[in-house]
Amino acid sequence: MDKLMLAILLLLKIFMVSTRLTTVCSSLENFSQLEQETYLLDAQFRNTSTGSLLKCVEECQMYRRCASFNFDRVSGLCIMNEKTKNESLTTDLINIKDYVFSDINVWLSKRPGACSEHNCSKTEVCEELNGTHSECVTVYCGKPPAVSKGEMIGANLDFWNINESVSYNCSPGFEPLGERVCQSDGSWSTFTCQRVVTCADLKACNNDYTDGEYWFRVKLANYQYVKVYCSGMATTSPESYITLFGENYSYFLDTDNGACSTSWSGTFEGNTTFSKVKFNPWNFSFLHGGFRFANTSGLFGNFGRTVDCRDSLSCAAKEAGSFQIDTTGTGLKVVDYLTWTDATTVTRSSNGNVITGSCRARCLYCKPTGSGFGAGAFSLEYDTSFVPDNTTAIFPVCKQ
């Protein structure tokens, strides 16, 4: 008997549900604002289960962004759209069973309650506090501000959800600083593409970085990565250097001209070796000065220069002042059109990485001159045959 009663109750429930759905479906046909069996594609921004058509209308009216809605007559799902029928493509309005569609502007503009005449923006929703008061609550951010030297990844939408983030590709020579996130007040968090060209830029990019090797993308190297040693990162004026792996020296001689003595007189003699050379990323050059990473015996000799005070004829068979520049392993080469003063004999390796010079100048400097040498700087070019080892230096990551 219990089973029979249970079956009867189950059949009665099915009948009542069926009757209710039939009543709901038939009642919605009485609304002239609705387009029956219709659904708008590619415009939805919010789904909510309202259970009834009029609740869907009221919910849509809470959002100034809501221009139309799709309503599922069976499930009571309310799908809010940010486009009207006229703002959409004709192909976006399709036929789907049990759905109705309507633009919101064909309904009464005033809804019951405190939100009946709200002036909330499209990034806000009206929320009722009680029967007579309401407030506009931010639920979206608008388009994020443009970023100098940055290009957004993906579509630049008109609206973004709270806590949603936007990613950017920064131009070569610039690194991301911060994160662009839609905040709860509708504003965007700070994000910039920070210039990282010099070691001073690196310090501004990330104050945690200490002295060491870093990869910088250099404009005059066609934005190839160049490994730069940053020195003095704990100071207010960090400096940029290139670490040298080959033999780099400046050998100065100052001997008795007449006797061609091999002993030094003590005025200009000196032998200087360089483990690093100062680097200017702006004009892509070595600076001949600087002794922070130089080891000197006697008088300091500038990078890529030498001097010899012995007579060039009577002492031709004797040792001369000399220098060597070896950029092997750095990815850089001194430009092949760089010249030295006439008293200098210069030879270059076949790959251009090694330059050796000797001097017979009668106490005059043998030094770079002319094209490729400006304001004491050796012009460089990128060695296209160089294969960098990415593990030997740090790729900068900026932090606030």
Side-chain angles (χ1 to χ4, degrees):
M1 189 65 178
D2 291 340
K3 291 184 179 180
L4 179 59
M5 287 297 296
L6 182 61
I8 292 172
L9 290 173
L10 181 59
L11 289 173
L12 180 61
K13 184 176 181 180
I14 293 172
F15 172 76
M16 292 176 65
V17 170
S18 176
T19 302
R20 182 179 64 84
L21 291 179
T22 302
T23 303
V24 170
C25 292
S26 60
S27 63
L28 293 189
E29 294 174 357
N30 296 325
F31 288 95
S32 60
Q33 300 97 324
L34 299 176
E35 297 189 35
Q36 303 294 329
E37 314 294 335
T38 304
Y39 187 102
L40 181 65
L41 295 171
D42 298 331
Q44 69 183 63
F45 69 92
R46 175 178 167 80
N47 297 345
T48 183
S49 182
T50 59
S52 74
L53 170 70
L54 293 182
K55 286 291 184 182
C56 183
V57 172
E58 290 182 7
E59 187 76 11
C60 182
Q61 289 176 338
M62 294 285 199
Y63 291 82
R64 192 170 299 278
R65 183 181 174 187
C66 187
S68 66
F69 62 85
N70 306 314
F71 181 73
D72 187 339
R73 297 179 301 187
V74 176
S75 68
L77 179 65
C78 178
I79 301 173
M80 288 181 265
N81 305 314
E82 57 186 355
K83 294 180 182 180
T84 64
K85 176 180 178 180
N86 290 337
E87 291 171 337
S88 305
L89 298 174
T90 55
T91 54
D92 287 340
L93 208 63
I94 63 174
N95 179 263
I96 295 185
K97 188 178 184 305
D98 294 326
Y99 270 95
V100 293
F101 165 82
S102 177
D103 287 337
I104 195 63
N105 57 13
V106 300
W107 296 81
L108 289 177
S109 59
K110 294 184 178 181
R111 61 176 302 282
C115 286
S116 62
E117 296 182 353
H118 75 81
N119 291 312
C120 300
S121 70
K122 286 190 173 183
T123 61
E124 298 172 321
V125 61
C126 183
E127 289 190 0
E128 294 182 344
L129 302 179
N130 51 47
T132 58
H133 294 84
S134 65
E135 66 176 351
C136 295
V137 178
T138 299
V139 288
Y140 303 106
C141 290
K143 282 189 175 184
V147 175
S148 177
K149 304 298 181 181
E151 182 178 350
M152 182 184 295
I153 300 172
N156 189 359
L157 305 177
D158 291 331
F159 298 95
W160 299 78
N161 294 319
I162 302 299
N163 296 324
E164 197 169 3
S165 62
V166 179
S167 299
Y168 293 85
N169 282 325
C170 291
S171 300
F174 293 80
E175 300 295 335
L177 176 59
E179 185 179 10
R180 181 53 57 84
V181 179
C182 174
Q183 302 180 114
S184 59
D185 63 355
S187 66
W188 288 94
S189 60
T190 302
F191 174 87
T192 59
C193 285
Q194 174 77 25
R195 187 188 71 188
V196 184
V197 177
T198 68
C199 292
D201 293 338
L202 180 67
K203 182 178 175 68
C205 154
N206 189 335
N207 197 46
D208 291 342
Y209 284 137
T210 57
D211 290 12
E213 303 279 3
Y214 299 89
W215 292 109
F216 288 167
R217 298 182 75 178
V218 180
K219 180 178 180 179
L220 293 181
N222 197 26
Y223 291 112
Q224 297 292 326
Y225 279 106
V226 175
K227 186 166 63 174
V228 177
Y229 184 88
C230 289
S231 176
M233 290 293 284
T235 70
T236 57
S237 301
E239 294 180 325
S240 303
Y241 289 83
I242 298 296
T243 299
L244 303 170
F245 303 98
E247 188 177 7
N248 290 265
Y249 61 83
S250 176
Y251 185 29
F252 278 33
L253 288 179
D254 178 26
T255 59
D256 184 338
N257 289 342
C260 287
S261 170
T262 57
S263 63
W264 292 347
S265 67
T267 303
F268 282 110
E269 73 267 20
N271 186 25
T272 303
T273 57
F274 302 88
S275 60
K276 292 176 173 43
V277 63
K278 209 166 186 180
F279 175 63
N280 185 339
W282 291 112
N283 59 15
F284 202 41
S285 63
F286 286 154
L287 301 176
H288 71 79
F291 51 84
R292 178 172 293 181
F293 297 100
N295 184 24
T296 300
S297 173
L299 184 71
F300 173 75
N302 282 319
F303 185 77
R305 292 186 180 192
T306 187
V307 70
D308 189 325
C309 281
R310 292 181 298 180
D311 182 87
S312 60
L313 296 178
S314 60
C315 303
K318 301 294 183 180
E319 185 179 25
S322 59
F323 66 86
Q324 181 166 287
I325 300 171
D326 187 351
T327 60
T328 302
T330 66
L332 308 176
K333 296 190 294 185
V334 174
V335 293
D336 58 8
Y337 53 83
L338 179 66
T339 58
W340 275 258
T341 49
D342 291 342
T344 314
T345 301
V346 176
T347 58
R348 296 174 183 261
S349 63
S350 58
N351 60 12
N353 289 133
V354 182
I355 301 173
T356 303
S358 60
C359 182
R360 299 288 190 185
R362 298 186 182 185
C363 294
L364 295 176
Y365 270 110
C366 292
K367 60 184 181 181
T369 184
S371 180
F373 185 73
F378 296 68
S379 297
L380 299 171
E381 62 183 16
Y382 187 76
D383 185 355
T384 56
S385 65
F386 177 66
V387 179
D389 181 353
N390 293 341
T391 64
T392 59
I394 296 171
F395 289 94
V397 176
C398 297
K399 59 172 281 188
Q400 293 176 317

